[in-house]
């Protein structure tokens, strides 16, 4: 398992600032308004950037990383809302696959989450990256890590009813706003990926209370897992 250059990305500053703080030999490139930082991170060649919030921002960023920077694997890190009732704030989710929950063409007979006329709408994470993440998670956060389906959509979920729907109908473990678009772009380009999400809220209506308070803690937890993964590569 050898990748010459790895993308380490997040949607918000809190999700990447710890990565940047531990990089060396940094050079910056701005493309499409996004700042890409190339450098060395624990001896590995990496590109670190903030995608911005939402699926379009994440997709554009991922394609640039592949086309212009030649990354060979993508690790997306950050925070999410818990859907699985067993998850607590600060727990971590490792994606086994990603689905866009706001892709809804049920009026035309397509199941929710299915992209019409596409060969695939469920994007599997790379098995080796998942195994690496699981090993790191078990070492650092024993009993607080789950594997499962990550759901993405351009919506901040803060409703118990919506949480129940996403959990029961789409089998989502957590919900966020970027991972599935990163996964789709990676799949279209044959690039391995994994999404790592630390729970910042329960996506249940208390988000306005939980999110700001726990984003920093959650970001630190996901950072620790990324650091350990990269050290193992």
């Amino acid at each position: 398992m050898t990748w010459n250059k790895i993308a380490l990305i997040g949607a918000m500053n809190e999700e990447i600032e710890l990565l940047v703080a531990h990089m060396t030999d940094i050079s910056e490139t701005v493309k499409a308004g996004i700042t890409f930082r190339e450098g060395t991170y624990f001896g590995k060649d990496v590109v670190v950037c903030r995608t911005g919030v939402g699926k379009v921002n994440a997709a554009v960023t991922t394609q640039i990383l592949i086309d212009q920077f030649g990354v060979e694997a993508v690790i997306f890190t950050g925070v999410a809302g818990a859907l699985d009732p067993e998850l607590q704030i600060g727990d971590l989710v490792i994606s086994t696959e990603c689905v866009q929950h706001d892709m809804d063409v049920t009026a035309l007979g397509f199941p929710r989450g299915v992209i019409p006329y596409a060969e695939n709408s469920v994007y599997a994470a790379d098995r080796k990256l998942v195994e690496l993440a699981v090993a790191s998670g078990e070492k650092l956060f024993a009993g607080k890590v789950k594997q499962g389906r990550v759901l993405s959509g351009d919506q901040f979920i803060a409703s118990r009813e919506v949480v129940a729907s996403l959990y029961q109908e789409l089998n989502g473990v957590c919900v966020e706003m970027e991972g599935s678009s990163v996964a789709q772009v990676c799949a279209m380009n044959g690039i391995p990926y994994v999404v790592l999400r630390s729970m910042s809220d329960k996506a249940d209506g208390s988000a306005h209370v939980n999110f700001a308070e726990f984003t920093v803690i959650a970001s630190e937890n996901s950072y620790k897992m990324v650091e350990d993964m990269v050290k193992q590569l």
Side-chain angles (χ1 to χ4, degrees), residues 5 23-29 36-40 46-48 68-69:
K5 185 179 286 188
M23 289 175 66
T24 57
D25 304 319
I26 299 174
S27 63
E28 293 188 359
T29 303
F36 297 85
R37 296 177 175 90
E38 292 180 272
T40 304
V46 299
V47 184
V48 174
Q68 182 162 335
F69 296 94

mmCIF file with all atom_site columns, all heavy atoms in Angstrom, residues 5 23-29 36-40 46-48 68-69:
data_model
loop_
_atom_site.group_PDB
_atom_site.id
_atom_site.type_symbol
_atom_site.label_atom_id
_atom_site.label_alt_id
_atom_site.label_comp_id
_atom_site.label_asym_id
_atom_site.label_entity_id
_atom_site.label_seq_id
_atom_site.pdbx_PDB_ins_code
_atom_site.Cartn_x
_atom_site.Cartn_y
_atom_site.Cartn_z
_atom_site.occupancy
_atom_site.B_iso_or_equiv
_atom_site.pdbx_formal_charge
_atom_site.auth_seq_id
_atom_site.auth_comp_id
_atom_site.auth_asym_id
_atom_site.auth_atom_id
_atom_site.pdbx_PDB_model_num
ATOM 1   N N   . LYS A 1 5  ? 1.460  10.653 -3.066  1.00 0.00 ? 5  LYS A N   1
ATOM 2   C CA  . LYS A 1 5  ? 0.963  11.948 -2.589  1.00 0.00 ? 5  LYS A CA  1
ATOM 3   C C   . LYS A 1 5  ? -0.481 11.765 -2.130  1.00 0.00 ? 5  LYS A C   1
ATOM 4   O O   . LYS A 1 5  ? -1.308 11.208 -2.843  1.00 0.00 ? 5  LYS A O   1
ATOM 5   C CB  . LYS A 1 5  ? 1.038  13.001 -3.695  1.00 0.00 ? 5  LYS A CB  1
ATOM 6   C CG  . LYS A 1 5  ? 0.649  14.402 -3.208  1.00 0.00 ? 5  LYS A CG  1
ATOM 7   C CD  . LYS A 1 5  ? 0.756  15.431 -4.339  1.00 0.00 ? 5  LYS A CD  1
ATOM 8   C CE  . LYS A 1 5  ? 2.196  15.764 -4.644  1.00 0.00 ? 5  LYS A CE  1
ATOM 9   N NZ  . LYS A 1 5  ? 2.293  16.897 -5.603  1.00 0.00 ? 5  LYS A NZ  1
ATOM 10  N N   . MET A 1 23 ? 2.704  20.545 9.320   1.00 0.00 ? 23 MET A N   1
ATOM 11  C CA  . MET A 1 23 ? 3.357  20.366 8.023   1.00 0.00 ? 23 MET A CA  1
ATOM 12  C C   . MET A 1 23 ? 4.689  21.107 7.980   1.00 0.00 ? 23 MET A C   1
ATOM 13  O O   . MET A 1 23 ? 4.898  22.080 8.703   1.00 0.00 ? 23 MET A O   1
ATOM 14  C CB  . MET A 1 23 ? 2.465  20.885 6.887   1.00 0.00 ? 23 MET A CB  1
ATOM 15  C CG  . MET A 1 23 ? 1.239  20.048 6.607   1.00 0.00 ? 23 MET A CG  1
ATOM 16  S SD  . MET A 1 23 ? 0.189  20.834 5.352   1.00 0.00 ? 23 MET A SD  1
ATOM 17  C CE  . MET A 1 23 ? 1.261  20.756 3.887   1.00 0.00 ? 23 MET A CE  1
ATOM 18  N N   . THR A 1 24 ? 5.580  20.647 7.109   1.00 0.00 ? 24 THR A N   1
ATOM 19  C CA  . THR A 1 24 ? 6.828  21.351 6.844   1.00 0.00 ? 24 THR A CA  1
ATOM 20  C C   . THR A 1 24 ? 6.985  21.518 5.340   1.00 0.00 ? 24 THR A C   1
ATOM 21  O O   . THR A 1 24 ? 6.285  20.886 4.547   1.00 0.00 ? 24 THR A O   1
ATOM 22  C CB  . THR A 1 24 ? 8.035  20.569 7.398   1.00 0.00 ? 24 THR A CB  1
ATOM 23  O OG1 . THR A 1 24 ? 8.046  19.252 6.823   1.00 0.00 ? 24 THR A OG1 1
ATOM 24  C CG2 . THR A 1 24 ? 7.958  20.443 8.913   1.00 0.00 ? 24 THR A CG2 1
ATOM 25  N N   . ASP A 1 25 ? 7.917  22.406 4.966   1.00 0.00 ? 25 ASP A N   1
ATOM 26  C CA  . ASP A 1 25 ? 8.208  22.656 3.542   1.00 0.00 ? 25 ASP A CA  1
ATOM 27  C C   . ASP A 1 25 ? 6.946  22.999 2.769   1.00 0.00 ? 25 ASP A C   1
ATOM 28  O O   . ASP A 1 25 ? 6.680  22.452 1.687   1.00 0.00 ? 25 ASP A O   1
ATOM 29  C CB  . ASP A 1 25 ? 8.899  21.440 2.907   1.00 0.00 ? 25 ASP A CB  1
ATOM 30  C CG  . ASP A 1 25 ? 10.159 21.032 3.645   1.00 0.00 ? 25 ASP A CG  1
ATOM 31  O OD1 . ASP A 1 25 ? 10.921 21.933 4.043   1.00 0.00 ? 25 ASP A OD1 1
ATOM 32  O OD2 . ASP A 1 25 ? 10.368 19.824 3.848   1.00 0.00 ? 25 ASP A OD2 1
ATOM 33  N N   . ILE A 1 26 ? 6.179  23.919 3.296   1.00 0.00 ? 26 ILE A N   1
ATOM 34  C CA  . ILE A 1 26 ? 4.875  24.238 2.715   1.00 0.00 ? 26 ILE A CA  1
ATOM 35  C C   . ILE A 1 26 ? 5.013  25.216 1.554   1.00 0.00 ? 26 ILE A C   1
ATOM 36  O O   . ILE A 1 26 ? 5.716  26.225 1.645   1.00 0.00 ? 26 ILE A O   1
ATOM 37  C CB  . ILE A 1 26 ? 3.938  24.845 3.778   1.00 0.00 ? 26 ILE A CB  1
ATOM 38  C CG1 . ILE A 1 26 ? 3.693  23.846 4.913   1.00 0.00 ? 26 ILE A CG1 1
ATOM 39  C CG2 . ILE A 1 26 ? 2.617  25.268 3.156   1.00 0.00 ? 26 ILE A CG2 1
ATOM 40  C CD1 . ILE A 1 26 ? 2.889  24.415 6.062   1.00 0.00 ? 26 ILE A CD1 1
ATOM 41  N N   . SER A 1 27 ? 4.323  24.918 0.461   1.00 0.00 ? 27 SER A N   1
ATOM 42  C CA  . SER A 1 27 ? 4.141  25.873 -0.632  1.00 0.00 ? 27 SER A CA  1
ATOM 43  C C   . SER A 1 27 ? 2.647  25.987 -0.900  1.00 0.00 ? 27 SER A C   1
ATOM 44  O O   . SER A 1 27 ? 1.911  24.999 -0.796  1.00 0.00 ? 27 SER A O   1
ATOM 45  C CB  . SER A 1 27 ? 4.881  25.415 -1.896  1.00 0.00 ? 27 SER A CB  1
ATOM 46  O OG  . SER A 1 27 ? 4.359  24.185 -2.369  1.00 0.00 ? 27 SER A OG  1
ATOM 47  N N   . GLU A 1 28 ? 2.197  27.190 -1.239  1.00 0.00 ? 28 GLU A N   1
ATOM 48  C CA  . GLU A 1 28 ? 0.766  27.434 -1.415  1.00 0.00 ? 28 GLU A CA  1
ATOM 49  C C   . GLU A 1 28 ? 0.433  27.746 -2.862  1.00 0.00 ? 28 GLU A C   1
ATOM 50  O O   . GLU A 1 28 ? 1.165  28.447 -3.553  1.00 0.00 ? 28 GLU A O   1
ATOM 51  C CB  . GLU A 1 28 ? 0.299  28.583 -0.522  1.00 0.00 ? 28 GLU A CB  1
ATOM 52  C CG  . GLU A 1 28 ? 0.351  28.282 0.957   1.00 0.00 ? 28 GLU A CG  1
ATOM 53  C CD  . GLU A 1 28 ? -0.306 29.371 1.795   1.00 0.00 ? 28 GLU A CD  1
ATOM 54  O OE1 . GLU A 1 28 ? -0.778 30.372 1.201   1.00 0.00 ? 28 GLU A OE1 1
ATOM 55  O OE2 . GLU A 1 28 ? -0.360 29.222 3.030   1.00 0.00 ? 28 GLU A OE2 1
ATOM 56  N N   . THR A 1 29 ? -0.703 27.213 -3.306  1.00 0.00 ? 29 THR A N   1
ATOM 57  C CA  . THR A 1 29 ? -1.251 27.509 -4.624  1.00 0.00 ? 29 THR A CA  1
ATOM 58  C C   . THR A 1 29 ? -2.721 27.811 -4.457  1.00 0.00 ? 29 THR A C   1
ATOM 59  O O   . THR A 1 29 ? -3.429 27.088 -3.739  1.00 0.00 ? 29 THR A O   1
ATOM 60  C CB  . THR A 1 29 ? -1.096 26.305 -5.577  1.00 0.00 ? 29 THR A CB  1
ATOM 61  O OG1 . THR A 1 29 ? 0.278  25.948 -5.670  1.00 0.00 ? 29 THR A OG1 1
ATOM 62  C CG2 . THR A 1 29 ? -1.637 26.627 -6.960  1.00 0.00 ? 29 THR A CG2 1
ATOM 63  N N   . PHE A 1 36 ? -4.424 25.624 -1.683  1.00 0.00 ? 36 PHE A N   1
ATOM 64  C CA  . PHE A 1 36 ? -3.874 24.272 -1.578  1.00 0.00 ? 36 PHE A CA  1
ATOM 65  C C   . PHE A 1 36 ? -2.462 24.377 -1.008  1.00 0.00 ? 36 PHE A C   1
ATOM 66  O O   . PHE A 1 36 ? -1.624 25.091 -1.556  1.00 0.00 ? 36 PHE A O   1
ATOM 67  C CB  . PHE A 1 36 ? -3.834 23.605 -2.951  1.00 0.00 ? 36 PHE A CB  1
ATOM 68  C CG  . PHE A 1 36 ? -5.187 23.405 -3.576  1.00 0.00 ? 36 PHE A CG  1
ATOM 69  C CD1 . PHE A 1 36 ? -5.782 24.421 -4.309  1.00 0.00 ? 36 PHE A CD1 1
ATOM 70  C CD2 . PHE A 1 36 ? -5.861 22.208 -3.420  1.00 0.00 ? 36 PHE A CD2 1
ATOM 71  C CE1 . PHE A 1 36 ? -7.037 24.248 -4.887  1.00 0.00 ? 36 PHE A CE1 1
ATOM 72  C CE2 . PHE A 1 36 ? -7.118 22.018 -3.991  1.00 0.00 ? 36 PHE A CE2 1
ATOM 73  C CZ  . PHE A 1 36 ? -7.706 23.049 -4.725  1.00 0.00 ? 36 PHE A CZ  1
ATOM 74  N N   . ARG A 1 37 ? -2.207 23.660 0.054   1.00 0.00 ? 37 ARG A N   1
ATOM 75  C CA  . ARG A 1 37 ? -0.887 23.671 0.688   1.00 0.00 ? 37 ARG A CA  1
ATOM 76  C C   . ARG A 1 37 ? -0.201 22.328 0.450   1.00 0.00 ? 37 ARG A C   1
ATOM 77  O O   . ARG A 1 37 ? -0.646 21.302 0.967   1.00 0.00 ? 37 ARG A O   1
ATOM 78  C CB  . ARG A 1 37 ? -1.020 23.959 2.177   1.00 0.00 ? 37 ARG A CB  1
ATOM 79  C CG  . ARG A 1 37 ? -1.575 25.347 2.493   1.00 0.00 ? 37 ARG A CG  1
ATOM 80  C CD  . ARG A 1 37 ? -1.742 25.515 3.993   1.00 0.00 ? 37 ARG A CD  1
ATOM 81  N NE  . ARG A 1 37 ? -2.155 26.854 4.359   1.00 0.00 ? 37 ARG A NE  1
ATOM 82  C CZ  . ARG A 1 37 ? -3.433 27.247 4.474   1.00 0.00 ? 37 ARG A CZ  1
ATOM 83  N NH1 . ARG A 1 37 ? -4.409 26.374 4.236   1.00 0.00 ? 37 ARG A NH1 1
ATOM 84  N NH2 . ARG A 1 37 ? -3.736 28.491 4.814   1.00 0.00 ? 37 ARG A NH2 1
ATOM 85  N N   . GLU A 1 38 ? 0.855  22.353 -0.324  1.00 0.00 ? 38 GLU A N   1
ATOM 86  C CA  . GLU A 1 38 ? 1.672  21.163 -0.535  1.00 0.00 ? 38 GLU A CA  1
ATOM 87  C C   . GLU A 1 38 ? 2.816  21.164 0.475   1.00 0.00 ? 38 GLU A C   1
ATOM 88  O O   . GLU A 1 38 ? 3.370  22.213 0.800   1.00 0.00 ? 38 GLU A O   1
ATOM 89  C CB  . GLU A 1 38 ? 2.250  21.148 -1.942  1.00 0.00 ? 38 GLU A CB  1
ATOM 90  C CG  . GLU A 1 38 ? 1.253  20.967 -3.057  1.00 0.00 ? 38 GLU A CG  1
ATOM 91  C CD  . GLU A 1 38 ? 1.937  20.960 -4.410  1.00 0.00 ? 38 GLU A CD  1
ATOM 92  O OE1 . GLU A 1 38 ? 2.113  22.060 -4.984  1.00 0.00 ? 38 GLU A OE1 1
ATOM 93  O OE2 . GLU A 1 38 ? 2.290  19.871 -4.886  1.00 0.00 ? 38 GLU A OE2 1
ATOM 94  N N   . GLY A 1 39 ? 3.175  20.003 0.942   1.00 0.00 ? 39 GLY A N   1
ATOM 95  C CA  . GLY A 1 39 ? 4.285  19.935 1.881   1.00 0.00 ? 39 GLY A CA  1
ATOM 96  C C   . GLY A 1 39 ? 4.491  18.527 2.391   1.00 0.00 ? 39 GLY A C   1
ATOM 97  O O   . GLY A 1 39 ? 4.019  17.545 1.797   1.00 0.00 ? 39 GLY A O   1
ATOM 98  N N   . THR A 1 40 ? 5.183  18.445 3.512   1.00 0.00 ? 40 THR A N   1
ATOM 99  C CA  . THR A 1 40 ? 5.501  17.166 4.130   1.00 0.00 ? 40 THR A CA  1
ATOM 100 C C   . THR A 1 40 ? 4.813  17.078 5.478   1.00 0.00 ? 40 THR A C   1
ATOM 101 O O   . THR A 1 40 ? 4.807  18.034 6.256   1.00 0.00 ? 40 THR A O   1
ATOM 102 C CB  . THR A 1 40 ? 7.023  17.025 4.317   1.00 0.00 ? 40 THR A CB  1
ATOM 103 O OG1 . THR A 1 40 ? 7.668  17.188 3.053   1.00 0.00 ? 40 THR A OG1 1
ATOM 104 C CG2 . THR A 1 40 ? 7.373  15.663 4.881   1.00 0.00 ? 40 THR A CG2 1
ATOM 105 N N   . VAL A 1 46 ? 2.038  15.486 1.070   1.00 0.00 ? 46 VAL A N   1
ATOM 106 C CA  . VAL A 1 46 ? 0.596  15.697 1.199   1.00 0.00 ? 46 VAL A CA  1
ATOM 107 C C   . VAL A 1 46 ? 0.191  17.018 0.549   1.00 0.00 ? 46 VAL A C   1
ATOM 108 O O   . VAL A 1 46 ? 1.017  17.910 0.323   1.00 0.00 ? 46 VAL A O   1
ATOM 109 C CB  . VAL A 1 46 ? 0.150  15.706 2.680   1.00 0.00 ? 46 VAL A CB  1
ATOM 110 C CG1 . VAL A 1 46 ? 0.463  14.379 3.356   1.00 0.00 ? 46 VAL A CG1 1
ATOM 111 C CG2 . VAL A 1 46 ? 0.777  16.866 3.441   1.00 0.00 ? 46 VAL A CG2 1
ATOM 112 N N   . VAL A 1 47 ? -1.103 17.110 0.276   1.00 0.00 ? 47 VAL A N   1
ATOM 113 C CA  . VAL A 1 47 ? -1.734 18.378 -0.077  1.00 0.00 ? 47 VAL A CA  1
ATOM 114 C C   . VAL A 1 47 ? -2.885 18.567 0.894   1.00 0.00 ? 47 VAL A C   1
ATOM 115 O O   . VAL A 1 47 ? -3.746 17.684 1.023   1.00 0.00 ? 47 VAL A O   1
ATOM 116 C CB  . VAL A 1 47 ? -2.256 18.391 -1.525  1.00 0.00 ? 47 VAL A CB  1
ATOM 117 C CG1 . VAL A 1 47 ? -2.805 19.778 -1.865  1.00 0.00 ? 47 VAL A CG1 1
ATOM 118 C CG2 . VAL A 1 47 ? -1.182 17.971 -2.510  1.00 0.00 ? 47 VAL A CG2 1
ATOM 119 N N   . VAL A 1 48 ? -2.892 19.673 1.606   1.00 0.00 ? 48 VAL A N   1
ATOM 120 C CA  . VAL A 1 48 ? -3.924 19.960 2.598   1.00 0.00 ? 48 VAL A CA  1
ATOM 121 C C   . VAL A 1 48 ? -4.720 21.170 2.143   1.00 0.00 ? 48 VAL A C   1
ATOM 122 O O   . VAL A 1 48 ? -4.148 22.177 1.705   1.00 0.00 ? 48 VAL A O   1
ATOM 123 C CB  . VAL A 1 48 ? -3.301 20.231 3.990   1.00 0.00 ? 48 VAL A CB  1
ATOM 124 C CG1 . VAL A 1 48 ? -4.363 20.671 4.984   1.00 0.00 ? 48 VAL A CG1 1
ATOM 125 C CG2 . VAL A 1 48 ? -2.582 18.987 4.494   1.00 0.00 ? 48 VAL A CG2 1
ATOM 126 N N   . GLN A 1 68 ? -4.581 18.661 -10.915 1.00 0.00 ? 68 GLN A N   1
ATOM 127 C CA  . GLN A 1 68 ? -3.444 19.578 -10.846 1.00 0.00 ? 68 GLN A CA  1
ATOM 128 C C   . GLN A 1 68 ? -2.343 19.094 -9.914  1.00 0.00 ? 68 GLN A C   1
ATOM 129 O O   . GLN A 1 68 ? -1.158 19.340 -10.176 1.00 0.00 ? 68 GLN A O   1
ATOM 130 C CB  . GLN A 1 68 ? -3.903 20.974 -10.413 1.00 0.00 ? 68 GLN A CB  1
ATOM 131 C CG  . GLN A 1 68 ? -2.769 21.997 -10.374 1.00 0.00 ? 68 GLN A CG  1
ATOM 132 C CD  . GLN A 1 68 ? -3.274 23.431 -10.383 1.00 0.00 ? 68 GLN A CD  1
ATOM 133 O OE1 . GLN A 1 68 ? -4.378 23.711 -10.861 1.00 0.00 ? 68 GLN A OE1 1
ATOM 134 N NE2 . GLN A 1 68 ? -2.475 24.349 -9.869  1.00 0.00 ? 68 GLN A NE2 1
ATOM 135 N N   . PHE A 1 69 ? -2.729 18.407 -8.849  1.00 0.00 ? 69 PHE A N   1
ATOM 136 C CA  . PHE A 1 69 ? -1.731 18.025 -7.848  1.00 0.00 ? 69 PHE A CA  1
ATOM 137 C C   . PHE A 1 69 ? -1.386 16.543 -7.880  1.00 0.00 ? 69 PHE A C   1
ATOM 138 O O   . PHE A 1 69 ? -0.469 16.107 -7.191  1.00 0.00 ? 69 PHE A O   1
ATOM 139 C CB  . PHE A 1 69 ? -2.209 18.434 -6.453  1.00 0.00 ? 69 PHE A CB  1
ATOM 140 C CG  . PHE A 1 69 ? -2.331 19.925 -6.295  1.00 0.00 ? 69 PHE A CG  1
ATOM 141 C CD1 . PHE A 1 69 ? -3.540 20.558 -6.502  1.00 0.00 ? 69 PHE A CD1 1
ATOM 142 C CD2 . PHE A 1 69 ? -1.225 20.699 -5.972  1.00 0.00 ? 69 PHE A CD2 1
ATOM 143 C CE1 . PHE A 1 69 ? -3.659 21.933 -6.373  1.00 0.00 ? 69 PHE A CE1 1
ATOM 144 C CE2 . PHE A 1 69 ? -1.328 22.075 -5.840  1.00 0.00 ? 69 PHE A CE2 1
ATOM 145 C CZ  . PHE A 1 69 ? -2.548 22.694 -6.053  1.00 0.00 ? 69 PHE A CZ  1
#
